[in-house]
Amino acid sequence: MASPKRFIAGAVCPRCAEMDKIMMYTTDDDDQVRECVACGFTDAVSDAEQPSNPELETRVNKRKNEDDHTVKQVVFFKSSADDE
């Protein structure tokens, strides 16, 4: 259901940087729209679930993890009992 257009107190336009010129309303498609009356900037945000995007490929997640992850005991000092 569409809502009446309302001005947002203290909101600053991202394009023209004018304060208190942004009005916000909801369209029939349940999109929330903000609009600047000074410069005409319009931005719509939808509440509908966005399709999930796969994780961006980076040097960390594209590498095959073939390292040896077995636990190994490290001995720094031998006790005198081990010398015998």
Side-chain angles (χ1 to χ4, degrees):
M1 179 177 175
S3 66
K5 296 180 179 183
R6 299 176 188 266
F7 281 95
I8 307 301
V12 177
C13 176
R15 184 189 295 165
C16 67
E18 289 284 330
M19 184 181 281
D20 295 334
K21 301 291 182 181
I22 297 285
M23 63 178 172
M24 194 160 196
Y25 58 94
T26 305
T27 63
D28 291 331
D29 299 332
D30 288 333
D31 291 341
Q32 292 183 348
V33 179
R34 63 181 178 163
E35 183 177 333
C36 178
V37 296
C39 69
F41 170 80
T42 303
D43 185 23
V45 178
S46 176
D47 288 336
E49 189 173 319
Q50 300 293 326
S52 63
N53 294 333
E55 184 178 3
L56 292 176
E57 189 172 304
T58 64
R59 64 179 174 83
V60 175
N61 65 7
K62 72 179 179 181
R63 180 177 155 230
K64 292 183 181 175
N65 193 359
E66 297 173 356
D67 295 337
D68 183 18
H69 293 289
T70 57
V71 178
K72 298 176 183 166
Q73 182 179 6
V74 178
V75 179
F76 290 107
F77 301 102
K78 291 187 176 188
S79 65
S80 59
D82 290 341
D83 290 340
E84 298 172 2

